[in-house]
Amino acid sequence: MIVRISGEGQYRLDESHHSKLDELDNAVVMAVDGGDEDGFHASFEELLQFVRSNGEHLADEDLAASAHILPPADLSFPEAGEEFTGDGLIPEPS
Amino acid sequence: MPGMSGRFSTVVKAKISKLLDKAEDPGETLDFSYQKQLENLQNVKKGIADIVTAKKRLQMQSSKIEQSVVKLDTQARQALASGNEDLARVALERKNVAQTELQGLDQQVAELESQQQRLIDSEQQLRSKVEAFRTKKEVIKAQYNAAEAQVRISEAATGVGEQMADVGLAMQRAVDKTENMKARADAVSELEAAGTFDDLTAIGSGEDDIDKQLKQLSSQSVVDDELAKMKAELGSGSAPQQGQLEGGEGQ
């Protein structure tokens, strides 16, 4: 599964990371829903960090499309309100 | 489509399909895509240049205010040395306002700087992808029949399209930010036009209005503290020779 962090690049993650990604994604949604700005920054950073450290950075010339696109690291709390809603960005593993 | 609920994903997907649907003749799609990619690269370059221009303007403004801070500080010292505490207070109030503006500007410049850097990185990624697409397109054309080549090249074009859309979003955010900064820079210019950062000695009697606004803007306690500190320094050190304000170096 390929995940893009907007403004940063693409990472190839093993399918086995899907449920952890979903869990981290849900934590961001909960923080945003609860109006918890500090919680949002912490959980969002954790989500991005998980992708960066568990994913393999794709070469610039790789032309693969991403399965998921995460917002840029400097996403503001008001912007996050439009972004992280409902099921979040990563769906439940089927 | 699962996992595509976020706004970023939605916008990116919409941009990609718009890009790929444009050409109706399949044979043309690929060359059209490549043309689009090149145009897009040009636009990104132009966007980065615009950000650099906006940043330079803010930096110039920032250094002008910095000079005002130094000048107003000098004037406050001179006023105090010649026993004019009221004038010294006015100078410090203005210095306080100028410093607050300076902090705001410097922070904005730093934010712009990091966005500029990110755009430069994204542009590099896009350049690599466009180049890879150009090569891949020719290889696929040579290896597959027309229908299958079309499918495979479309897949590759999707990969480039995603990068293009992503750079586009980054540009949009940077443009929004520079718009905000323009508003702030305009506000600073208004303060300048009102004489807020001007040479104090050049101001005549019509300063009441500005002074009133300044008292509201500047933190009284900061000014009081600084005045006290300045007094102590003047008291312990040797007082400047010149007793006249206009004799200072702030000309």
Side-chain angles (χ1 to χ4, degrees), chain B residues 74-86:
Chain B
T74 307
Q75 290 180 333
R77 278 170 205 282
Q78 288 169 349
L80 204 55
S82 60
N84 191 344
E85 190 173 327
D86 285 346

Side-chain angles (χ1 to χ4, degrees), chain A residues 37-75:
Chain A
E37 185 163 356
D38 290 342
F40 155 68
H41 286 298
S43 56
F44 183 47
E45 185 50 41
E46 199 182 343
L47 171 62
L48 297 183
Q49 204 46 50
F50 182 83
V51 173
R52 291 182 193 123
S53 50
N54 291 282
E56 173 207 345
H57 199 289
L58 285 197
D60 284 356
E61 56 272 14
D62 199 310
L63 295 175
S66 307
H68 309 294
I69 299 175
L70 301 178
D74 65 352
L75 191 76

Side-chain angles (χ1 to χ4, degrees), chain B:
Chain B
M1 197 181 290
M4 291 293 141
S5 53
R7 193 177 57 92
F8 271 85
S9 289
T10 311
V11 174
V12 167
K13 294 285 159 187
K15 277 179 192 267
I16 296 171
S17 63
K18 205 171 148 196
L19 177 79
L20 295 180
D21 288 349
K22 244 342 194 307
E24 278 161 15
D25 173 9
E28 276 177 15
T29 313
L30 314 166
D31 293 323
F32 179 80
S33 290
Y34 184 59
Q35 275 309 313
K36 267 279 167 216
Q37 290 165 16
L38 291 180
E39 275 172 34
N40 199 272
L41 262 179
Q42 284 305 313
N43 286 340
V44 174
K45 266 185 153 178
K46 200 174 148 289
I48 293 174
D50 288 347
I51 290 178
V52 170
T53 307
K55 196 183 72 185
K56 277 190 183 142
R57 207 172 46 221
L58 285 178
Q59 280 169 332
M60 267 169 60
Q61 197 154 24
S62 172
S63 71
K64 253 166 79 183
I65 297 180
E66 230 165 90
Q67 287 168 13
S68 302
V69 167
V70 173
K71 186 188 273 181
L72 288 166
D73 187 84
T74 307
Q75 290 180 333
R77 278 170 205 282
Q78 288 169 349
L80 204 55
S82 60
N84 191 344
E85 190 173 327
D86 285 346
L87 191 56
R89 183 178 290 277
V90 173
L92 287 179
E93 275 163 359
R94 292 181 183 204
K95 182 186 157 195
N96 188 234
V97 173
Q99 273 175 324
T100 308
E101 287 306 325
L102 199 57
Q103 278 169 9
L105 276 176
D106 287 349
Q107 195 194 335
Q108 306 238 35
V109 168
E111 280 173 26
L112 215 47
E113 185 93 43
S114 79
Q115 275 188 323
Q116 180 194 336
Q117 192 49 53
R118 197 176 303 169
L119 268 179
I120 290 173
D121 293 346
S122 296
E123 193 233 16
Q124 182 51 50
Q125 288 173 3
L126 181 58
R127 185 174 298 282
S128 303
K129 280 186 167 40
V130 168
E131 183 52 29
F133 176 82
R134 191 180 65 84
T135 314
K136 192 162 187 172
K137 161 170 93 94
E138 297 311 318
V139 172
I140 293 173
K141 268 185 189 168
Q143 283 181 348
Y144 296 90
N145 68 49
E148 197 169 0
Q150 175 67 24
V151 172
R152 286 174 183 265
I153 297 174
S154 287
E155 281 169 10
T158 303
V160 188
E162 184 182 309
Q163 186 71 37
M164 280 166 63
D166 195 46
V167 176
L169 282 174
M171 293 247 293
Q172 189 53 53
R173 293 180 94 230
V175 166
D176 289 348
K177 192 161 278 279
T178 47
E179 288 300 319
N180 288 340
M181 285 182 197
K182 259 184 221 151
R184 185 181 185 103
D186 288 348
V188 174
S189 298
E190 270 174 39
L191 281 177
E192 274 179 331
T196 307
F197 305 135
D198 280 357
D199 189 341
L200 258 188
T201 55
I203 290 179
S205 53
E207 60 193 313
D208 294 354
D209 212 33
I210 296 172
D211 285 340
K212 236 181 274 166
Q213 289 179 34
L214 279 175
K215 289 220 169 68
Q216 290 167 349
L217 280 170
S218 66
S219 155
Q220 219 45 54
S221 63
V222 170
V223 172
D224 285 342
D225 288 352
E226 204 165 352
L227 198 58
K229 215 174 100 191
M230 218 172 247
K231 270 186 196 169
E233 281 172 20
L234 281 173
S236 60
S238 55
Q241 288 304 302
Q242 68 269 44
Q244 297 294 316
L245 263 183
E246 49 273 18
E249 61 246 62
Q251 311 180 350

Side-chain angles (χ1 to χ4, degrees), chain A residues 16-54:
Chain A
S16 63
H17 289 310
H18 200 145
S19 53
K20 179 65 182 170
L21 266 183
D22 187 40
E23 186 188 315
L24 293 168
D25 181 38
N26 285 340
V28 182
V29 175
M30 266 176 62
V32 171
D33 280 351
D36 176 6
E37 185 163 356
D38 290 342
F40 155 68
H41 286 298
S43 56
F44 183 47
E45 185 50 41
E46 199 182 343
L47 171 62
L48 297 183
Q49 204 46 50
F50 182 83
V51 173
R52 291 182 193 123
S53 50
N54 291 282

